[in-house]
Amino acid sequence: MLDFTTLPYVDDRFKAVRRETVQVRVGEALIGGNAPILVQSMTTTKPKDVDETVRQTLALAKAGCGLVRITTPTFADAAGLEDVMKRVRAAGCTVPVSADIHFQPKAAFEALKWVEKVRINPGNFVDTGILTLDQQTDKLFDEGKEKVAEAFTPFVQEAKRLGRAIRIGVNHGSLSARMIYRYGDTVEGMVESALEYLAVCEAEHFDQVVLSLKSSNPRVAIAAYRLLAARLKQENFKPYPFHVGVTEAGAGADGRLKSAAGIGALLLDGLADTIRVSLTEDPVAEVPVAQDLIEACELKADAPKFEVPVFKKDPYHYERRESSVVKIAGVEIGGSLPVKVGVKSDAASLTGERRGPEFALAGFDASAGANIVTFKDAMDVAGFAANSASVPAGSIFCYTGSDMVYGVRALASALAAADRKDPILLYAKIGSSDKDMLRVSADFGSLLTDGLGDAVVIDGYKGAKESVALAFDILQAAACRRSKTNFISCPGCGRTLYDIRTVLGKIKERFGHLQDISIAVMGCIVNGPGEMADADFGYVGGGPGRITLFEGKTAVKKNIPEENAIEELVNLLKEKGRWVEP
């Protein structure tokens, strides 16, 4: 495990400021520096479908999208960008466009001619995928590094000549076999994959580069971006801006909560310069969610300063904070118990239902029978840090002030300095708006990723039942505790091989009654197997009209006609003993 003091990603974990970066120009847009955080999205088309690609691009621009990305799977698609861009500009739209490239360096070179930015994936620009993992050696790893420089240098030179920007976009789901061989399936592998390509850019004195490290697991994404920020400093690279996102977030409220848990946490760390919320919905629907999330997680210039010891806990590898078991309203929390969900109420019917309240929080004072000690501001936390004996052992610690993330971190740091293991209750009193929902998911997502929190209570979101449901949903979004069927689904793009929105709806209807199971619904094979790392089963486009079913990362049924695939997935779950009749 790493110590924050030896490898920091920010100067102060108790008072975030926006990270200073190189400013990258993408057409008329600016990313990083002191520019506002840019919202972007992606069409679901191939450039060869010129009419629909132009229509979606213009619709996204009208919705307030600051950059539009278009998947470009082949050289012919890259060439098709010429017509797309002519028509977009002829319509009076000046929003910049980025081409999204996998596997096709020639397509990347062609795309540079027509669009302002090109995204390449280090996992497949030169290297091979995970299927060649058993063939890797130390010698091949070193030779691969030379091949990267040989293939990527001319591309960087051409981007520099044309005045284009590049995104080095690493996906957890498509790490190369070479990187997995050396670093394992880890955040280190993601970071080193980006740095290898970035070193080529620096050698060419080219700094119009944006970096991204995406994962479908918010916990992985948060850790990866933090580690990248730290490693850039450590290697004396320029501070390049970050494109932040959580891939395969899904649809509806669950997709929004998962996006908020990951992207929001990074916004609260000051590490985001441009964001994309990936939803399995119409791309236009992503834009207002991203705008709301940026507004909800805006950093305060006048945030309080917490006078406590440095919070040394490793921010790059998840480990839940060690805590003792203490009872709240007669219910045990802490230790190795799951993070419990409570309800703000004088009493609650504890029926044992899977998503029902697990304890009642009547109040915080002694008259309510609570052994909870509250801290409402930085002064309260500093008082405990100076005199930890003032709070009896076996208490439950709860920060109730503003700036929850920094306050709870400060409280955890003070507890660690005092060698105290009292459990921590995460409490949020919120309103009922979408922004309130996004902000509490960002707050809880950040803290749960830090390994902080033994119980959670959300107070005031619509009604008591809705507040409890939201708490359970955030725990699931933050990869902390599963309480219902977990669906992982990509947003769809020009590579998608079936109508993913319709199919996702059918799969949710067919499998939504199951508990403690995760199902991935992926449009194609590019990120499918890798991003399904946390899924028990997967439904992946294998070809036009054909589906491949996965158990974990293993393809177990291939070339299934799409019309039969959902029932075949039911049969697969039955074979594995995971199916329950509704």
Side-chain angles (χ1 to χ4, degrees):
M1 304 298 278
L2 295 172
D3 187 320
F4 172 77
T5 57
T6 60
L7 190 64
Y9 68 93
V10 289
D11 292 332
D12 186 350
R13 292 175 84 179
F14 309 132
K15 184 179 173 62
V17 295
R18 177 93 175 270
R19 175 174 164 266
E20 293 184 6
T21 74
V22 171
Q23 191 164 79
V24 174
R25 177 173 289 278
V26 186
E28 67 171 16
L30 297 173
I31 299 175
N34 59 359
I37 296 168
L38 185 78
V39 171
Q40 56 180 283
S41 184
M42 188 173 186
T43 71
T44 60
T45 59
K46 295 179 182 178
K48 287 187 290 187
D49 184 354
V50 177
D51 289 345
E52 183 61 14
T53 302
V54 170
R55 187 195 70 78
Q56 289 192 22
T57 300
L58 296 177
L60 284 167
K62 184 178 180 181
C65 187
L67 187 151
V68 176
R69 184 156 45 112
I70 302 172
T71 191
T72 311
T74 67
F75 183 88
D77 285 301
L81 288 169
E82 179 181 10
D83 286 342
V84 170
M85 295 307 296
K86 283 180 179 178
R87 289 180 53 178
V88 168
R89 297 296 177 246
C93 176
T94 59
V95 168
V97 171
S98 175
D100 193 73
I101 306 290
H102 294 268
F103 302 110
Q104 296 283 342
K106 289 182 179 179
F109 274 93
E110 178 67 17
L112 281 175
K113 298 177 183 177
W114 314 118
V115 297
E116 292 89 350
K117 183 181 175 197
V118 174
R119 177 270 175 112
I120 61 94
N121 183 346
N124 53 44
F125 190 79
V126 174
D127 283 324
T128 53
I130 194 170
L131 294 178
T132 63
L133 182 58
D134 60 350
Q135 302 168 21
Q136 300 300 311
T137 64
D138 289 341
K139 183 173 182 290
L140 286 177
F141 182 88
D142 294 334
E143 290 176 354
K145 192 177 186 73
E146 295 174 5
K147 289 180 180 178
V148 166
E150 182 181 326
F152 192 50
T153 296
F155 181 76
V156 173
Q157 291 170 340
E158 185 67 359
K160 187 176 182 180
R161 185 183 74 82
L162 293 172
R164 308 304 196 196
I166 294 174
R167 172 157 70 97
I168 298 173
V170 176
N171 274 16
H172 183 216
S174 53
L175 274 181
S176 71
R178 196 168 62 88
M179 284 293 162
I180 295 174
Y181 168 78
R182 175 61 59 91
Y183 298 102
D185 186 12
T186 62
V187 293
E188 282 82 2
M190 296 172 70
V191 169
E192 297 307 319
S193 185
L195 293 183
E196 183 174 77
Y197 277 71
L198 189 58
V200 176
C201 297
E202 292 235 324
E204 293 299 317
H205 306 289
F206 178 74
D207 65 3
Q208 294 299 285
V209 181
V210 179
L211 303 173
S212 66
L213 302 174
K214 294 191 180 183
S215 172
S216 62
N217 185 327
R219 183 187 292 168
V220 173
I222 293 166
Y225 281 104
R226 288 175 175 175
L227 184 59
L228 178 60
R231 290 282 288 124
L232 287 173
K233 284 185 180 180
Q234 189 179 52
E235 294 295 325
N236 293 315
F237 281 157
K238 290 182 178 180
Y240 295 90
F242 291 169
H243 166 135
V244 169
V246 173
T247 59
E248 287 75 49
D254 288 337
R256 286 156 175 78
L257 290 174
K258 184 182 281 190
S259 297
I263 299 171
L266 291 162
L267 285 166
L268 293 173
D269 273 342
L271 297 183
D273 301 290
T274 177
I275 71 170
R276 189 241 173 142
V277 173
S278 299
L279 300 175
T280 313
E281 301 177 20
D282 187 312
V284 170
E286 297 178 351
V287 178
V289 180
Q291 292 169 334
D292 283 350
L293 187 54
I294 290 169
E295 187 174 334
C297 297
E298 184 177 4
L299 299 177
K300 296 179 182 176
D302 59 347
K305 182 171 179 59
F306 290 90
E307 300 290 348
V308 294
V310 173
F311 187 37
K312 295 181 179 181
K313 191 175 186 300
D314 183 350
Y316 312 116
H317 305 92
Y318 175 78
E319 184 177 40
R320 186 171 165 186
R321 171 182 170 269
E322 186 180 352
S323 63
S324 53
V325 175
V326 175
K327 287 186 177 180
I328 178 171
V331 176
E332 290 185 337
I333 67 168
S336 60
L337 294 167
V339 178
K340 297 288 181 72
V341 173
V343 61
K344 184 67 166 59
S345 175
D346 291 339
S349 177
L350 307 183
T351 62
E353 293 180 8
R354 190 173 183 84
R355 286 170 56 86
E358 295 167 310
F359 65 89
L361 177 64
F364 294 111
D365 55 25
S367 63
N371 53 337
I372 301 171
V373 181
T374 59
F375 300 80
K376 65 181 182 301
D377 54 29
M379 188 175 294
D380 282 356
V381 177
F384 170 73
N387 181 18
S388 61
S390 62
V391 178
S395 297
I396 296 170
F397 281 60
C398 181
Y399 182 80
T400 59
S402 60
D403 301 291
M404 176 191 289
V405 168
Y406 319 122
V408 174
R409 283 180 185 165
L411 203 53
S413 181
L415 282 163
D419 196 25
R420 296 275 296 260
K421 294 181 172 55
D422 308 69
I424 293 174
L425 167 66
L426 303 182
Y427 171 81
K429 184 171 180 59
I430 67 172
S432 298
S433 72
D434 288 345
K435 287 181 186 176
D436 291 318
M437 178 186 74
L438 294 172
R439 177 57 192 252
V440 73
S441 186
D443 284 335
F444 281 14
S446 178
L447 292 167
L448 292 166
T449 295
D450 285 337
L452 305 179
D454 299 288
V456 300
V457 173
I458 294 175
D459 179 14
Y461 181 71
K462 298 181 179 178
K465 183 177 180 180
E466 290 82 1
S467 293
V468 169
L470 178 59
F472 274 112
D473 288 344
I474 291 172
L475 290 180
Q476 181 155 315
C480 184
R481 180 180 175 186
R482 193 185 294 171
S483 59
K484 63 181 183 181
T485 313
N486 184 42
F487 294 102
I488 299 169
S489 64
C490 69
C493 69
R495 295 183 181 86
T496 302
L497 294 164
Y498 58 91
D499 182 350
I500 191 167
R501 289 182 228 162
T502 299
V503 169
L504 176 62
K506 291 179 179 178
I507 288 177
K508 282 188 168 184
E509 184 177 355
R510 193 78 168 89
F511 298 87
H513 67 286
L514 299 175
Q515 297 179 345
D516 198 25
I517 197 166
S518 182
I519 298 174
V521 183
M522 311 296 288
C524 73
I525 206 71
V526 170
N527 294 317
E531 293 295 4
M532 293 190 305
D534 295 326
D536 301 303
F537 299 94
Y539 180 109
V540 181
R546 298 287 167 169
I547 302 299
T548 298
L549 299 182
F550 282 74
E551 182 182 11
K553 289 187 178 182
T554 304
V556 292
K557 294 189 177 185
K558 300 180 180 180
N559 206 32
I560 302 168
E562 184 182 335
E563 59 269 23
N564 302 331
I566 291 179
E567 287 310 308
E568 282 298 317
L569 183 57
V570 171
N571 292 335
L572 177 59
L573 266 66
K574 287 179 178 178
E575 292 169 14
K576 302 300 178 180
R578 303 294 297 275
W579 178 257
V580 177
E581 293 296 335

